[in-house]
Amino acid sequence: MTHRIARRAALGLAGTVLAAPALRAQSNTIRIIVPFAAGGSTDAVARLVSPGLTQRLGQTVIVENRSGAAGSIGTDLVAKARPDGLTWLLTFDSHSVMPVLLPSLPFDLTRDLDPVMLIGGAPYVIATRSDKPYRNLADVVEAAKARPDEVSYGSTGNGTIGHLTMVLLQSRTGIRMPHLPYRGGGLAVNDAVAGHIEMMIGSAALVAPHIAGGTLRAVAQFGPARLAGLAQVQTAEEAGFQGLTAEAWWGVFAPHGMPGAMVTRMNAALRETLSEARTRQQMQETQQARLVLSDPAALRTFLDGEVAKWSRVVRENQIRPD
């Protein structure tokens, strides 16, 4: 009996020894949390950079989608994670309107998350079916003034940056345009292509394939400068609306308290990965991105400005989430 007990103990110890490397490997895995479902631009950016991060950090980097509640579920997971370098957040522009649209958030964006990098942005674009009469922003404003409450537009939801951009346009011109919020960019594009709505607003990444294919025509773009792929399309500022800019953007954050050396290491790995010619080209072609690759301080300054800007629009116009 003593022999059997000893043998079982030895086998148990061997099992523990064999399992230990697997446990260590698992605990050494870095997770990039994307707080949205797979298939969107944030998910695409995370999956684009993860192989390069794996190579440069010497650890397996996986992308984990934790969608729900406008991105707050995945963000909360990171906000409550240990600041040990194994959990990071890659999020989208909705991050900047989250506090005002969802005031009962279980976390604080500034207190519970540390900035790592502003990857870049892509302008929001107004697009319409190619046989519609709108060719620039002046046409849109003129038509809406002539037909109040008839020139409709779609967006990806109430309180999204696209929706808020159109609210700003209306407040500055005195026009009224019916808003149709959709639960996804694809649905808005489908109805715009079918002509069920007069136009839609979405990120350049969302509408670019349809503009290239001729089923949609770009009317205006809201970036600080014209995209190379939309070189013939005026920015809103060029059309006379100074300060009316709106970009989709991607940023990386860490749980608060992440050691500075870890933040610096991740920032450097992201910068090197996104500076590769192939990766940079994919970001520019598939996401229509203007790469920034900022340091942490610049992301903090940028985010503070975005939160202040869009929170004011939400409050002044009593916007509610879907």
Side-chain angles (χ1 to χ4, degrees):
M1 183 176 291
T2 301
H3 177 72
R4 285 199 301 269
I5 292 173
R7 185 169 180 273
R8 287 172 185 167
L11 289 172
L13 179 59
T16 302
V17 170
L18 288 171
L23 290 170
R24 282 198 298 271
Q26 185 177 15
S27 67
N28 199 39
T29 298
I30 293 173
R31 296 185 301 164
I32 297 180
I33 303 299
V34 171
F36 307 103
S41 70
T42 313
D43 179 66
V45 171
R47 294 183 190 280
L48 179 63
V49 300
S50 60
L53 294 179
T54 294
Q55 176 187 351
R56 288 173 173 83
L57 297 173
Q59 296 169 252
T60 301
V61 177
I62 63 170
V63 177
E64 190 172 310
N65 300 90
R66 291 295 188 95
S67 62
S72 63
I73 290 176
T75 303
D76 185 49
L77 186 155
V78 177
K80 291 180 169 55
R82 293 176 58 190
D84 56 8
L86 297 180
T87 306
W88 307 79
L89 176 73
L90 199 161
T91 191
F92 194 54
D93 60 35
S94 57
H95 197 82
S96 56
V97 293
M98 197 184 295
V100 67
L101 286 176
L102 304 170
S104 60
L105 287 172
F107 57 86
D108 182 278
L109 289 184
T110 301
R111 187 181 64 241
D112 298 328
L113 292 167
D114 291 344
V116 179
M117 173 182 279
L118 174 61
I119 291 176
Y124 275 89
V125 175
I126 295 176
T128 186
R129 197 165 83 165
S130 54
D131 62 354
K132 296 286 185 180
Y134 320 105
R135 295 191 173 274
N136 51 49
L137 210 47
D139 288 345
V140 174
V141 173
E142 184 179 347
K145 285 182 176 178
R147 296 184 286 133
D149 298 318
E150 290 185 24
V151 181
S152 60
Y153 73 94
S155 80
T156 55
N158 280 330
T160 58
I161 300 299
H163 173 215
L164 299 181
T165 302
M166 296 300 286
V167 169
L168 270 180
L169 176 66
Q170 291 172 83
S171 68
R172 291 182 62 167
T173 57
I175 60 176
R176 298 195 309 270
M177 300 176 68
H179 174 222
L180 290 95
Y182 290 81
R183 292 194 176 276
L187 297 173
V189 167
N190 289 343
D191 272 8
V193 170
H196 299 320
I197 51 179
E198 292 293 286
M199 63 196 70
M200 64 160 292
I201 185 167
S203 72
L206 175 63
V207 299
H210 305 276
I211 293 170
T215 54
L216 290 178
R217 180 175 61 244
V219 172
Q221 55 184 314
F222 291 87
R226 297 189 188 191
L227 276 179
L230 296 174
Q232 306 305 314
V233 181
Q234 278 188 326
T235 68
E237 289 194 314
E238 289 173 330
F241 296 94
Q242 291 303 311
L244 186 52
T245 58
E247 286 191 290
W249 56 267
W250 304 272
V252 177
F253 295 82
H256 178 64
M258 186 80 76
M262 289 184 176
V263 171
T264 299
R265 181 170 175 252
M266 176 59 82
N267 182 283
L270 284 163
R271 184 182 305 277
E272 290 176 12
T273 297
L274 287 158
S275 295
E276 288 182 337
R278 182 188 60 82
T279 308
R280 178 179 288 272
Q281 182 179 3
Q282 283 189 262
M283 284 292 294
Q284 291 170 341
E285 291 181 353
T286 63
Q287 304 303 329
Q288 302 296 306
R290 175 182 62 87
L291 291 178
V292 177
L293 310 184
S294 79
D295 60 22
L299 173 55
R300 173 63 70 203
T301 300
F302 172 81
L303 179 62
D304 288 346
E306 289 290 287
V307 170
K309 173 182 176 178
W310 298 116
S311 294
R312 184 167 58 251
V313 177
V314 169
R315 293 192 184 101
E316 289 178 352
N317 296 276
Q318 300 181 348
I319 306 294
R320 298 288 181 267
D322 292 332

